[in-house]
Structure formats: C-alpha cells, structure tokens
C-alpha cells in the first residue's frame, strides 16, 4: 500500500495531475524545489524534503535528498525486523513511491556552444540516487522515471489500492536502464571533453531470438534500438507468417533502404535477394512497378523479399500467384490484399511499417568486426557534381533515369554496376546489375550485360515486338543508363560497355587514368558524366 510519495521532477509533464490523483487517494506527498512550488500553486498540499530531513536545501540545490531519513525510508526492507526496528529508532518514516526524472544532461550537451561548467551543473546526483534506491527495493517501493507511466500507476491504485508486483518490477528495470543510459551519456561527453577520448556506448533492448542465423547451425538475436522511431524494421508490425531469420532482417533492411533512395514520387518496388536488389522499378501503379521489377531478374526473384513505398493492393497480390516470395514489406495492406496473401501461404511474412515514408531517424551506421566496432555516417546523397566529361553531350532528359540508376547502384554490393531503362514516361526499371565482383569489368561484361540480354529475351518472347531480338535488345540498351559505384581504373570497362551498345554512363571519376577513360568514351561516341561521389557498399 502506498502511504507516502516523493515527487521531484525536472520534466514536469503531467506531474500536477498525477499529484492530484495521489492526493485524492490520501497519499502524503513530499517534494522539493520547483516541483513543490508547482504543486502548491496548483493547491496540492506538499511537505518539503527539508521538513523530513531537518536540513535545508543547500549548496544551490546540490544537496537536498541525500539523507538517511530519505534513503532509509526507501531502502528499508519491510519484512526485515532489524530494518524496521532501526527505522523506528531513528524516526525514519517509510516512503512507498518515488517519481523522479533527471536533469536534461543529454539535451544540454547537444546545444551549440554549451560550456563544461554548464554541462557539469546538469549532472544529476540526487535524482539517480533516489531512483536507484527505490528500484533496488522494488518489492516494496514503486518507482517512476517516465511521465508516461503516471496513468497506469494511478489506474492500479484506484482499482486495487496497490501497485501490482508486475508493474513495480517493470518500472524498476526501466529505472536501471534509464540511469545506465544517463551515466553513459555523461561518460561519453566527459571522456571527449576532458580526456579527448571517443567513447561509443550503445543501447539495444527487447532481444528477440530469431529462427536461426546466417546458416541453420548459427544462433541469432535481434535487438531493438528504442531511440529510432522512424522507418526501421524494429518498428514494423508482422501481420502474418513465420518468424524472421537473420538473413530476413539483413535483406529486408537492404530493401527498405533501396526504396527510400528511390523516394515516393511514384509507386516503387524493390526485390532483394541475398542483400542485393535483383529487381527495382517505378510505375504509375504499384502492380506496374512490381511487374517490371520482377522482370529485372525473374530467376533470382524466387524466394526474395519485396518492398514497396505504397500500400499493397489486391492487383499486386494477385500478380504474385504462383510466385514464391519470403517477405512483403509495405506501409500497409489493403484488406482484400491482406486476406489474399494470407491464403497464399501460411509462411509468407507480411510486415507493415506505417512510418515507411518518413525520414530516416539516424545519420550513422555501425558494423561489428572481431575486436571492434566500425561507425560511419550514412551514405546520403547521389552526386556532388554533374559534369559531362565527354564530347558527346549527356542529355538532360536522362537525368531522372540516371538518378534512379544511381539509387539502384548504391544498394548493390561493390564492385557494382546497374543498367536502367525508362520504359514509359517517368517510369524506370533496373534491367540488370552486376555485383560483388573483385573487378568491375566482370560486373559489366559477365554479369550486367549478359543478364540484361537474358532478361530482355524473356520480355521479348512475352511481348513479341515487330523486330528481331538483336534489334530489340540493342534498341533498349542504347537508350539505357549504366551507373558504376566507383571510378573505372582502366578503359576496358568503356570498351565492354560499347560492345553491349551502352551509350550513357555515370561514374564518380577520380582515377589516375580518367583521361584515358574519357578518350576511349569519346572515340566510341559514348556520353559520360562524372559525379564526384563514390558508392561502395561492402
């Protein structure tokens, strides 16, 4: 039963209503400083901490709750006769609830121009100590560090007269997690400011055991970053299907990032297999985009992950009849489409991410290697410049297609090239890609160019245009754009591109042989743009 509560908060959101609710339950309220003033101004009877301790707040408020009559009232074990006897002997009254949140240290140090003295004054001492004392004795004391929890606590007190064991346990864990993060922020700031040392501390929660890791014999767990509230797999809701595996998360993340690069101007679909987009297209409708993305590599699309930037509709669902896919990730699903897909397979995972088209909520990425962690800024942007470096001008009307092609290339494992085509006004499709090769020549000659012809042959047989296949593929590749994730170290890449009738090339440039590469492009009447931005993805 809660008889006395100590309230001392920096974030005063909801504290008056919470205190009024406690007062209505005849719970005595102890408070400090600004919190006590706010409660009194609201007409809520409040006892100053100084009345409990017999000492005034001192040293500019640095010392007020650090006293045995406060911490004894919190830490006393109610079932321990020795504890209870000592409390009675020293006139220590028990405190059954603490609501405390801390000085905003992280917010303070994130402000431009903050100095060390200001930062140090925002290191809370009494607050974390109160929270930890109360949380340590969670079997008897309810501890609240987040205003979001006031309502649930009041609800339980009003209905049952007590706060349940389950709620007290949950709140205690939340406190220790909160104070650990708080101390971590202080460590990170002071390590850099005082010692010039960079410290990286990461906070991941809600570990979920996955079906297996990269391979069946490996165990895997997914941990959520609670700070990320935007588009992320951690915020996706699974509507149907079996549990996700390690590779599902990796591939779905690639699909999400690929579609985010393309944007949401038109419906767009990415089809990802083994952490590479094997299909990518935009369209006037979702189904049109899906059909063309599937044409990008219908063989690799078997067992793939599909991601789209718009609500998944029934027409698109019906297109997948007879096609095996592992996951569909979308901002939402039309009711008929959802039911159709559920009937299609009990194993098909359907992931809904309402925040899909919001901006990403982080500017950094991390990768663990044995013995250390790599941290870098996200690869943001498509190009730093747009310089046509050849005698043959680069058509401005191909800018949209070129940007789409770069988006595809950014999500493809290096050394990568992508080939993209404008199949309809403002609608683009990646017709082939070459990825994961130790050299770029193989990505062009053996993979992208070869795959493009194979894919176009399937479309040719289906659509039966009034021309030979030779004329058909040459007409498409000659109007396609090829993007490379890095510079061409030799001119052989240009020569092999010409053999496949590719006339438009996007490259970062920056090779010591750029002049040689440009000269070969000029000799072959190829138009080439240097962007100044490399897009390796390892």
């Amino acid at each position: 039963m809660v008889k006395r509560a100590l309230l001392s908060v920096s974030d005063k959101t909801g504290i008056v209503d919470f205190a009024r609710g406690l007062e209505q339950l005849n719970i005595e309220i102890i408070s400090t400083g600004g919190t006590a003033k706010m409660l009194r101004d609201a007409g809520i009877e409040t006892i100053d901490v100084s009345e409990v301790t017999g000492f005034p707040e001192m040293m500019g408020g640095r010392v007020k709750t650090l006293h045995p009559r406060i911490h004894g009232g919190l830490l006393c074990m109610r079932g321990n006769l020795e504890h209870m006897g000592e409390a009675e002997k020293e006139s220590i009254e028990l405190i059954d609830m603490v609501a405390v949140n801390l000085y905003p240290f992280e917010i303070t140090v994130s402000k431009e121009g903050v100095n060390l003295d200001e930062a140090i004054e925002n290191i809370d001492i009494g607050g974390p100590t109160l929270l930890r004392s109360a949380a340590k004795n969670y079997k008897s004391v309810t501890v609240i560090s987040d205003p979001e929890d006031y309502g649930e606590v009041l609800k339980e007190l009003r209905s049952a007269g007590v706060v349940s064991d389950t709620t007290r346990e949950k709140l205690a864990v939340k406190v220790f997690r909160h104070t650990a993060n708080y101390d971590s922020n202080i460590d990170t700031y002071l390590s850099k400011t005082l010692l010039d040392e960079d410290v990286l501390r990461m906070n991941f929660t809600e570990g979920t055991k996955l079906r297996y890791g990269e391979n069946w014999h490996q165990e895997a767990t997914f941990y959520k970053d609670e700070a990320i509230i935007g588009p992320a797999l951690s915020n996706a809701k699974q509507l149907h299907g079996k549990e996700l595996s390690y590779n599902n998360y990796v591939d779905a993340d690639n699909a999400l990032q690929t579609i985010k690069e393309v944007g949401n101007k038109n419906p767009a679909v990415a089809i990802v297999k083994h952490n590479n987009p094997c299909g990518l297209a935009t369209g006037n409708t979702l189904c049109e985009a899906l059909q063309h993305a599937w044409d990008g590599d219908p063989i690799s699309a078997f067992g793939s992950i599909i991601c789209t930037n718009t609500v998944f509709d029934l027409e698109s669902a019906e297109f997948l009849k007879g096609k095996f896919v592992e996951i569909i990730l979308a901002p939402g699903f039309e009711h008929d489409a959802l039911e159709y897909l559920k009937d299609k397979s009990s194993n098909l995972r359907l992931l809904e991410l309402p925040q899909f088209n919001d901006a990403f909520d982080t500017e950094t990425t991390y990768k663990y290697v044995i013995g250390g962690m790599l941290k870098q800024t996200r690869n943001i942007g498509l190009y730093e410049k747009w310089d046509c470096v050849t005698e043959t001008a680069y058509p401005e009307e191909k800018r949209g297609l070129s940007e789409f092609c770069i988006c595809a290339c950014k999500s493809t494992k290096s050394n990568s090239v992508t080939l993209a085509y404008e199949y309809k006004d403002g609608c683009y499709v990646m017709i082939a890609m070459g990825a994961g090769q130790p050299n770029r020549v193989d990505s062009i000659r053996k993979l992208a160019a070869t795959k493009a012809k194979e894919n176009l042959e399937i479309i040719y047989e289906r659509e039966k245009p009034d021309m030979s296949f030779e004329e058909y593929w040459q007409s498409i590749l000659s109007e396609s754009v090829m993007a490379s994730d890095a510079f061409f170290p030799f001119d052989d890449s240009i020569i092999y591109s010409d053999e496949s009738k590719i006339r438009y090339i996007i490259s970062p440039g920056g090779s010591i042989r750029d002049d040689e590469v440009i000269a070969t492009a000029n000799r072959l009447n190829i138009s080439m743009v240097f962007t100044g931005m490399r897009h390796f993805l390892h």
Side-chain angles (χ1 to χ4, degrees):
M1 181 177 293
V2 178
K3 295 181 178 180
R4 300 175 84 218
L6 193 158
L7 313 182
S8 180
V9 294
S10 176
D11 177 1
K12 295 178 172 55
T13 303
I15 193 62
V16 170
D17 289 338
F18 181 59
R20 186 170 285 116
L22 296 180
E23 186 179 51
Q24 290 168 354
L25 294 168
N26 297 317
I27 295 171
E28 188 176 71
I29 296 173
I30 306 167
S31 192
T32 65
T35 306
K37 182 179 185 306
M38 175 177 276
L39 298 183
R40 288 197 184 100
D41 288 347
I44 298 169
E45 188 174 341
T46 304
I47 300 171
D48 280 324
V49 163
S50 58
E51 294 179 47
V52 177
T53 63
F55 280 85
E57 293 185 18
M58 58 181 65
M59 301 176 186
R62 282 190 168 201
V63 180
K64 48 193 173 189
T65 59
L66 299 171
H67 193 280
R69 285 188 176 161
I70 298 297
H71 288 277
L74 293 173
L75 289 165
C76 175
M77 298 173 64
R78 276 52 168 176
N80 185 308
L81 294 178
E82 185 176 350
H83 281 206
M84 293 296 287
E86 289 177 349
E88 185 177 358
K89 178 182 176 182
E90 300 299 335
S91 300
I92 294 173
E93 295 185 66
L94 304 181
I95 300 173
D96 310 302
M97 176 182 289
V98 166
V100 167
N101 51 62
L102 309 178
Y103 297 163
F105 180 83
E106 186 176 13
I107 294 173
T108 298
V109 298
S110 68
K111 294 176 182 175
E112 189 175 347
V114 67
N115 60 48
L116 178 60
D117 288 343
E118 185 181 356
I120 287 175
E121 283 309 306
N122 276 275
I123 297 176
D124 203 324
I125 302 300
T129 308
L130 285 171
L131 289 174
R132 290 172 62 85
S133 292
K136 179 175 181 176
N137 203 17
Y138 68 88
K139 291 182 179 180
S140 301
V141 180
T142 301
V143 57
I144 309 167
S145 57
D146 183 351
E148 292 290 326
D149 294 317
Y150 293 158
E152 180 61 28
V153 169
L154 278 178
K155 181 180 176 181
E156 289 192 14
L157 286 171
R158 286 166 178 158
S159 62
V162 295
V163 180
S164 67
D165 292 348
T166 301
T167 297
R168 278 185 278 105
E169 290 165 0
K170 179 184 73 173
L171 293 174
V173 171
K174 191 170 187 176
V175 159
F176 285 117
R177 188 175 294 168
H178 179 50
T179 56
N181 293 339
Y182 193 78
D183 286 341
S184 173
N185 289 327
I186 295 169
D187 173 26
T188 300
Y189 173 79
L190 291 182
S191 292
K192 182 63 177 176
T193 304
L194 299 180
L195 306 179
D196 197 27
E197 294 179 0
D198 287 316
V199 173
L200 173 63
R201 294 186 180 274
M202 307 184 78
N203 176 34
F204 294 89
T205 61
E206 297 182 35
T208 302
K209 187 174 177 60
L210 305 181
R211 293 179 64 233
Y212 47 80
E214 284 184 287
N215 301 290
W216 298 333
H217 63 280
Q218 293 175 266
E219 295 182 357
T221 306
F222 175 77
Y223 293 93
K224 179 177 180 177
D225 184 346
E226 290 186 330
I228 303 298
I229 59 175
L233 291 177
S234 57
N235 295 323
K237 179 181 179 183
Q238 185 166 352
L239 304 179
H240 181 68
K242 60 186 177 183
E243 304 98 326
L244 300 177
S245 70
Y246 180 97
N247 292 337
N248 293 152
Y249 273 99
V250 173
D251 287 347
D253 184 65
N254 179 286
L256 172 62
Q257 294 197 52
T258 301
I259 288 294
K260 293 291 289 178
E261 286 290 345
V262 174
N264 57 7
K265 182 179 179 181
N266 293 317
V269 172
I271 301 176
V272 169
K273 187 72 171 289
H274 292 296
N275 209 12
N276 276 304
C278 60
L280 180 66
T282 63
N284 291 324
T285 68
L286 174 60
C287 191
E288 184 177 58
L290 177 57
Q291 288 174 324
H292 282 84
W294 196 272
D295 283 340
D297 192 343
I299 295 174
S300 297
F302 179 88
S304 62
I305 287 175
I306 292 175
C307 182
T308 176
N309 60 356
T310 190
V311 172
F312 213 83
D313 57 29
L314 181 59
E315 184 185 14
S316 302
E318 289 174 337
F319 171 81
L320 295 175
K321 184 177 181 180
K323 299 176 175 68
F324 170 58
V325 296
E326 293 269 7
I327 295 174
I328 300 175
L329 172 63
F333 294 82
E334 290 184 357
H335 177 74
D336 289 348
L338 182 61
E339 295 307 309
Y340 180 91
L341 292 168
K342 284 181 176 180
D343 290 340
K344 172 179 164 61
S345 170
S346 61
N347 291 329
L348 173 62
R349 292 93 154 185
L350 303 177
L351 302 181
E352 180 181 63
L353 184 56
Q355 307 98 314
F356 198 104
N357 289 308
D358 294 346
F360 277 128
D361 202 25
T362 179
E363 298 299 317
T364 54
T365 65
Y366 303 88
K367 184 172 184 177
Y368 181 77
V369 294
I370 300 300
M373 181 75 76
L374 293 166
K375 175 184 177 181
Q376 66 175 348
T377 56
R378 285 181 48 242
N379 182 6
I380 299 172
L382 297 180
Y383 48 86
E384 292 178 351
K385 60 182 181 178
W386 193 263
D387 290 346
C388 179
V389 294
T390 52
E391 294 167 358
T392 303
Y394 200 93
E396 182 60 28
E397 59 265 26
K398 289 200 179 290
R399 179 73 73 100
L401 172 63
S402 302
E403 291 175 348
F404 171 85
C405 198
I406 298 171
C407 289
C409 202
K410 279 184 69 173
S411 297
T412 307
K413 297 293 185 180
S414 54
N415 287 312
S416 70
V417 295
T418 50
L419 285 168
Y421 178 66
E422 187 170 13
Y423 67 90
K424 183 188 287 187
D425 232 12
C427 298
Y428 312 124
V429 58
M430 182 179 74
I431 55 176
M433 60 87 170
Q437 300 304 299
N439 67 78
R440 190 161 278 93
V441 172
D442 283 349
S443 290
I444 297 170
R445 178 172 56 114
K446 295 181 179 179
L447 295 178
T450 302
K451 195 68 181 175
K453 292 177 186 177
E454 290 178 357
N455 293 337
L456 290 172
E457 189 169 15
I458 295 172
I459 300 170
Y460 178 83
E461 291 298 325
R462 184 179 70 215
E463 298 184 353
K464 302 187 185 314
D466 187 22
M467 64 179 77
S468 70
F469 177 64
E470 185 80 8
E471 293 173 313
Y472 176 72
W473 75 257
Q474 287 188 16
S475 69
I476 290 180
L477 286 185
S478 65
E479 290 300 323
S480 296
V481 168
M482 185 183 81
S484 172
D485 64 356
F487 62 67
F488 301 115
F490 302 98
D491 69 347
D492 50 2
S493 293
I494 308 301
I495 294 169
Y496 287 122
S497 299
D498 176 68
E499 289 179 358
S500 294
K501 310 304 179 187
I502 295 166
R503 318 310 308 155
Y504 306 102
I505 296 176
I506 305 292
S507 165
S511 166
I512 59 172
R513 292 186 175 86
D514 274 351
D515 289 344
E516 177 186 327
V517 170
I518 294 169
T520 300
N522 285 332
R523 177 172 60 83
L524 298 172
N525 294 319
I526 287 174
S527 179
M528 184 162 58
V529 163
F530 280 177
T531 66
M533 184 176 283
R534 191 178 76 176
H535 291 300
F536 271 155
L537 178 63
H538 281 65

